[in-house]
Amino acid sequence: MTSGARTTPAAGLEEATLVVRSQDGDVEAFEELLRRYDRPLLRLCTRMLRDPGEAEDVVQDTFLTVWRRLSTLESIDQFRTWLYRTASNRCLDIIRRRERRPAQATDPDSLGSVESGGPSLEDSAETGAAVRHLEQVLGTLPAEQRMAWLLHEVEGETYATIAAMMGTTDGSVRGRLHRARTAIVRGMEGWA
Amino acid sequence: MTSRHDPPHQDEGVEDIDDFHGLAELTDAELTTSHERLRHVIAEYRETTDSLADRPTVGLRERVLDIVHRETAMGPSTELRTPRGRHFEVLTAAVRAIVRDVVDETPGLAARRVHVDAHDDGAAMSLRIGLSMAPHVGIDDVEPQLRTEVDDAVRREVGVSTARIDLVLEEVHDG
């Protein structure tokens, strides 16, 4: 079994080699990919879903899906984008399902809170009021805008990479970011 | 963190821009300026949410790997036979792992894909080994010993010899 500190023999290999070996059924190579990407993905999904337990489920499902479908990945240098796209799609699906449940979707008290399974921004005594307010504003954004904004402003991804990760065009990403920024600026009036 | 490659937002290429529900009166420059004023809040948001997600992922990894190991154990096998003619099967993934271990032990080499075929009705094995090689390695210098060591390992671990070993240089890696 793995431990937090253990490194695999595959740790020194380049990503392309890890992906090819994983396609070939090398579990150690896949473990190294898991080790490199589980935490960044968990951060993104936690920000997106605001539910650490649900975020962990998404990351687990994402890696299992990727493992089972690795042979369909034709361009190995697209692995990271493909991984993020799989996780991103799952997050968006979950949010759309939540939005179809009216009681949760319209409850203003639920904004900015984590629904289950771990600490939330509101639980954290150190969290500044401005950050809590930003989290609330982000919670009002449509899921695609929130994802695009997080990928660009928090993860530092380019428009082209976000477009690939979200399966859309650069122009659509620009539009989503513009709308997200507009809503955030409006929602954060007085906090800058 | 801001994007390392993209310029600040520009209007060209924006789709569905008329869908702002009354928020579109901000000019692009005003929007950029106002959003920039929130940088410190965004930075604090990033730090705070990083710490919320910064928890051990060991349990997550173990769950994923448990399932992956179980599925691998049900993977394809290669049919072989002993020198006395008794047929047996070995997990193809296990043969690949044996070969990869030998290649990875060679300084400057790393295995990529390993293709395994039964040869001569299973009495021997044919291997096609993809290689990633450091630029300072001369393939002619390592090839004879690599073939010998792969054959030795397969004989020792699986019990059959190799009839053919194709070494294919697929990539040159740094270092």
Side-chain angles (χ1 to χ4, degrees), chain B residues 27 31 48 58 66 78 82 87 113-114 135 137 148 151 166 169:
Chain B
T27 67
L31 178 60
T48 308
V58 175
D66 273 350
T78 302
T82 65
H87 286 267
R113 286 193 181 88
V114 179
V137 175
T148 302
D151 184 63
D166 291 330
L169 180 59

Short mmCIF file of all heavy atoms in Angstrom, two decimals, chain B residues 27 31 48 58 66 78 82 87 113-114 135 137 148 151 166 169:
data_model
loop_
_atom_site.label_atom_id
_atom_site.label_comp_id
_atom_site.label_asym_id
_atom_site.label_seq_id
_atom_site.Cartn_x
_atom_site.Cartn_y
_atom_site.Cartn_z
N THR B 27 -17.26 49.35 -19.00
CA THR B 27 -16.39 49.19 -20.17
C THR B 27 -15.35 48.12 -19.85
O THR B 27 -15.15 47.77 -18.68
CB THR B 27 -15.66 50.50 -20.49
OG1 THR B 27 -14.76 50.77 -19.41
CG2 THR B 27 -16.63 51.65 -20.67
N LEU B 31 -13.76 47.26 -16.23
CA LEU B 31 -13.86 45.91 -15.67
C LEU B 31 -12.49 45.39 -15.26
O LEU B 31 -12.31 44.86 -14.16
CB LEU B 31 -14.50 44.96 -16.70
CG LEU B 31 -14.62 43.50 -16.27
CD1 LEU B 31 -15.47 43.37 -15.01
CD2 LEU B 31 -15.20 42.65 -17.39
N THR B 48 -6.63 30.41 1.21
CA THR B 48 -7.58 29.81 2.15
C THR B 48 -8.13 28.50 1.60
O THR B 48 -8.19 27.49 2.31
CB THR B 48 -8.75 30.78 2.42
OG1 THR B 48 -8.20 32.03 2.79
CG2 THR B 48 -9.65 30.26 3.52
N VAL B 58 -3.69 10.09 0.97
CA VAL B 58 -3.26 8.69 0.99
C VAL B 58 -4.45 7.75 0.86
O VAL B 58 -4.43 6.78 0.09
CB VAL B 58 -2.48 8.39 2.29
CG1 VAL B 58 -2.14 6.90 2.35
CG2 VAL B 58 -1.22 9.22 2.34
N ASP B 66 -6.28 0.15 -5.09
CA ASP B 66 -6.89 -1.15 -4.79
C ASP B 66 -7.72 -1.63 -5.98
O ASP B 66 -7.62 -2.79 -6.41
CB ASP B 66 -7.82 -1.04 -3.57
CG ASP B 66 -7.06 -1.24 -2.27
OD1 ASP B 66 -5.88 -1.64 -2.34
OD2 ASP B 66 -7.65 -1.00 -1.20
N THR B 78 -0.99 -14.46 -21.28
CA THR B 78 -0.31 -15.04 -22.44
C THR B 78 -0.18 -16.55 -22.21
O THR B 78 0.24 -16.98 -21.14
CB THR B 78 1.10 -14.41 -22.59
OG1 THR B 78 0.95 -12.99 -22.74
CG2 THR B 78 1.82 -14.98 -23.80
N THR B 82 5.61 -25.34 -20.93
CA THR B 82 6.90 -25.69 -20.36
C THR B 82 7.68 -26.55 -21.37
O THR B 82 7.10 -27.05 -22.35
CB THR B 82 6.71 -26.52 -19.07
OG1 THR B 82 6.10 -27.76 -19.43
CG2 THR B 82 5.84 -25.79 -18.07
N HIS B 87 0.90 -26.83 -20.69
CA HIS B 87 0.45 -25.47 -20.99
C HIS B 87 0.14 -24.71 -19.70
O HIS B 87 -0.36 -25.28 -18.73
CB HIS B 87 -0.80 -25.51 -21.89
CG HIS B 87 -0.47 -25.90 -23.29
ND1 HIS B 87 -0.22 -24.98 -24.27
CD2 HIS B 87 -0.30 -27.11 -23.87
CE1 HIS B 87 0.05 -25.59 -25.40
NE2 HIS B 87 0.03 -26.90 -25.18
N ARG B 113 6.39 1.08 -23.82
CA ARG B 113 5.48 -0.05 -24.02
C ARG B 113 6.26 -1.36 -24.19
O ARG B 113 7.32 -1.37 -24.80
CB ARG B 113 4.61 0.17 -25.26
CG ARG B 113 3.53 1.19 -25.06
CD ARG B 113 2.51 1.13 -26.20
NE ARG B 113 1.47 2.13 -26.00
CZ ARG B 113 1.56 3.38 -26.44
NH1 ARG B 113 2.64 3.77 -27.09
NH2 ARG B 113 0.58 4.25 -26.21
N VAL B 114 5.69 -2.43 -23.66
CA VAL B 114 6.26 -3.76 -23.86
C VAL B 114 5.18 -4.64 -24.48
O VAL B 114 4.12 -4.84 -23.89
CB VAL B 114 6.73 -4.38 -22.52
CG1 VAL B 114 7.30 -5.78 -22.75
CG2 VAL B 114 7.77 -3.48 -21.85
N PRO B 135 20.34 11.12 -23.73
CA PRO B 135 21.15 11.40 -24.91
C PRO B 135 22.59 10.87 -24.80
O PRO B 135 23.21 10.59 -25.82
CB PRO B 135 21.14 12.94 -25.01
CG PRO B 135 20.43 13.44 -23.83
CD PRO B 135 19.78 12.31 -23.10
N VAL B 137 23.57 8.06 -23.72
CA VAL B 137 23.66 6.59 -23.79
C VAL B 137 23.82 6.15 -25.25
O VAL B 137 23.12 6.63 -26.14
CB VAL B 137 22.38 5.94 -23.21
CG1 VAL B 137 22.42 4.42 -23.39
CG2 VAL B 137 22.23 6.30 -21.74
N THR B 148 20.56 -9.90 -22.94
CA THR B 148 20.90 -11.04 -22.07
C THR B 148 20.12 -10.96 -20.75
O THR B 148 19.56 -11.96 -20.28
CB THR B 148 22.42 -11.03 -21.78
OG1 THR B 148 23.11 -11.09 -23.02
CG2 THR B 148 22.82 -12.20 -20.90
N ASP B 151 16.39 -11.69 -21.21
CA ASP B 151 16.18 -13.13 -21.41
C ASP B 151 16.37 -13.88 -20.08
O ASP B 151 15.55 -14.75 -19.74
CB ASP B 151 17.16 -13.65 -22.46
CG ASP B 151 16.91 -15.12 -22.76
OD1 ASP B 151 15.81 -15.43 -23.25
OD2 ASP B 151 17.79 -15.95 -22.45
N ASP B 166 12.83 -7.39 -29.78
CA ASP B 166 12.99 -6.18 -30.59
C ASP B 166 13.09 -4.98 -29.66
O ASP B 166 12.20 -4.76 -28.82
CB ASP B 166 11.79 -5.99 -31.53
CG ASP B 166 11.75 -7.04 -32.61
OD1 ASP B 166 12.83 -7.53 -33.00
OD2 ASP B 166 10.64 -7.40 -33.06
N LEU B 169 13.72 2.30 -30.06
CA LEU B 169 13.94 3.59 -29.41
C LEU B 169 12.78 4.51 -29.76
O LEU B 169 12.60 4.90 -30.91
CB LEU B 169 15.27 4.20 -29.89
CG LEU B 169 15.61 5.56 -29.28
CD1 LEU B 169 15.70 5.48 -27.76
CD2 LEU B 169 16.90 6.10 -29.85
#
